Structure formats: structure tokens, C-alpha cells
């Protein structure tokens, strides 16, 4: 199954970044291609949510279960949608300057040929979404003397 991994250091606390990522209801306000979200249930440690994504005339609904271990970890488990699988995990670790975020997403399409073709664009879309989370953090929490940086 193809996957993408990214580690970022940001000048915000792990709690702030956890809260930003866990706030699925607000995704349409800042994430590209997210048209709407609906939180079906949320007991504080587990959420069931639908997300409608769209690009031009194409619209697809995804349902995911989100397991929350505040402030350290979010695990998103694919329940239903147009793909075979789409799971991701966020880790939030405090640092002296803010926090380090490790994000991993694994995905597979129902159609293997489509997976091979779309996989090359998935990386670009992923990077755009990561940037959207960083911009949202800046808008919510302000700037800091240190800047976000990628960790190789």
C-alpha cells in the first residue's frame, strides 16, 4: 500500500496542534478540496465523521473513525468511501521550540491502475494539505520567532 510520511517542527504546542487537527468540523474552513464535514459522534476519545471532498464536478464522501489520545496521537481509520483504504496517524511531541509533528498516511485505491496513476498526484495534494494545517495554526495561534521546518 503506498504511503507518505512527513515530520515537521512547528512553533506551537502539541496541545494546540492536536486540537487543530482534531477539529474535523472546521476542516471546510481551511483545507483544500474539503467541501463539508459531519461529525456523527464524538465522545472525546473516539469520533465518527464524514467528509465530502470535491474538485470541480467530482464529489466523494469518506467516513472515518478517529481515535484520539490527547495530546499525543490521532489515528484516522477509514470506514467507507471510494477507496479501498485511507488511514493516517498523527504524533505530536513537545519540543523546546514548540512541537514536532509526525504524520503518516497509507492509501490504496480499489482500482490498481488508478492507484498507479493517481499516486503521483497524491503526494502533491498531501503537501498542499500539510501547508493548509500550518497556515491555519498561524492564523489561530499567531507567529513565533521560530519558523516551521521540515525534518528529513
Amino acid at each position: 500500500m503506498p504511503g507518505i510520511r512527513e515530520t515537521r517542527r512547528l512553533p506551537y504546542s502539541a496541545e494546540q496542534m492536536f486540537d487543530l487537527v482534531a477539529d474535523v468540523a472546521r476542516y471546510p474552513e481551511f483545507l483544500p478540496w474539503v467541501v463539508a464535514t459531519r461529525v456523527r459522534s464524538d465522545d472525546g476519545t473516539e469520533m465518527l465523521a464524514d467528509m465530502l471532498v470535491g474538485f470541480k464536478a467530482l464529489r466523494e464522501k469518506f467516513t472515518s473513525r478517529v481515535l484520539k489520545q490527547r495530546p499525543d496521537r490521532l489515528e484516522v481509520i477509514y470506514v467507507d468511501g471510494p477507496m479501498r483504504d485511507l488511514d493516517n496517524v498523527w504524533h505530536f511531541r513537545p519540543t523546546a521550540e514548540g512541537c514536532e509533528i509526525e504524520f503518516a498516511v497509507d492509501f490504496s485505491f480499489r482500482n490498481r491502475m488508478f492507484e498507479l496513476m493517481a499516486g503521483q498526484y497524491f503526494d502533491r495534494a498531501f503537501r498542499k494539505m500539510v501547508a493548509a494545517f500550518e497556515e491555519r495554526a498561524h492564523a489561530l495561534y499567531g507567529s513565533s520567532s521560530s519558523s516551521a521546518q521540515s525534518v528529513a
Side-chain angles (χ1 to χ4, degrees), residues 15-56:
E15 291 84 1
Q16 287 174 316
M17 293 308 300
F18 178 96
D19 291 343
L20 187 155
V21 175
D23 194 3
V24 172
R26 299 257 189 246
Y27 282 10
E29 295 176 17
F30 69 95
L31 278 181
W33 311 298
V34 176
V35 176
T37 56
R38 178 178 68 144
V39 176
R40 292 191 201 180
S41 63
D42 187 354
D43 68 7
T45 59
E46 185 173 320
M47 174 192 315
L48 186 64
D50 298 324
M51 185 174 353
L52 182 65
V53 296
F55 181 72
K56 298 187 180 181

Side-chain angles (χ1 to χ4, degrees), residues 39-141:
V39 176
R40 292 191 201 180
S41 63
D42 187 354
D43 68 7
T45 59
E46 185 173 320
M47 174 192 315
L48 186 64
D50 298 324
M51 185 174 353
L52 182 65
V53 296
F55 181 72
K56 298 187 180 181
L58 180 64
R59 298 266 194 263
E60 293 288 351
K61 183 180 98 169
F62 296 80
T63 301
S64 297
R65 182 171 320 284
V66 182
L67 305 177
K68 301 186 283 184
Q69 297 172 359
R70 188 174 198 281
D72 306 309
R73 185 176 197 270
L74 281 167
E75 181 177 2
V76 183
I77 302 164
Y78 185 75
V79 174
D80 188 39
M83 301 178 76
R84 182 179 309 141
D85 202 18
L86 177 65
D87 299 325
N88 61 68
V89 178
W90 297 79
H91 291 277
F92 307 91
R93 295 181 192 91
T95 66
E97 301 81 29
C99 75
E100 180 177 273
I101 300 169
E102 182 182 328
F103 177 77
V105 61
D106 294 305
F107 59 94
S108 61
F109 293 87
R110 294 190 193 280
N111 180 309
R112 179 76 174 132
M113 183 62 95
F114 185 70
E115 182 173 299
L116 292 172
M117 292 182 340
Q120 60 188 318
Y121 299 104
F122 199 83
D123 183 66
R124 198 172 340 164
F126 167 77
R127 306 257 178 247
K128 188 170 182 145
M129 293 185 88
V130 167
F133 276 106
E134 289 181 21
E135 290 167 15
R136 178 69 169 186
H138 181 75
L140 290 177
Y141 309 128

Side-chain angles (χ1 to χ4, degrees), residues 138-149:
H138 181 75
L140 290 177
Y141 309 128
S143 62
S144 175
S145 58
S146 61
S147 60
Q149 53 184 245

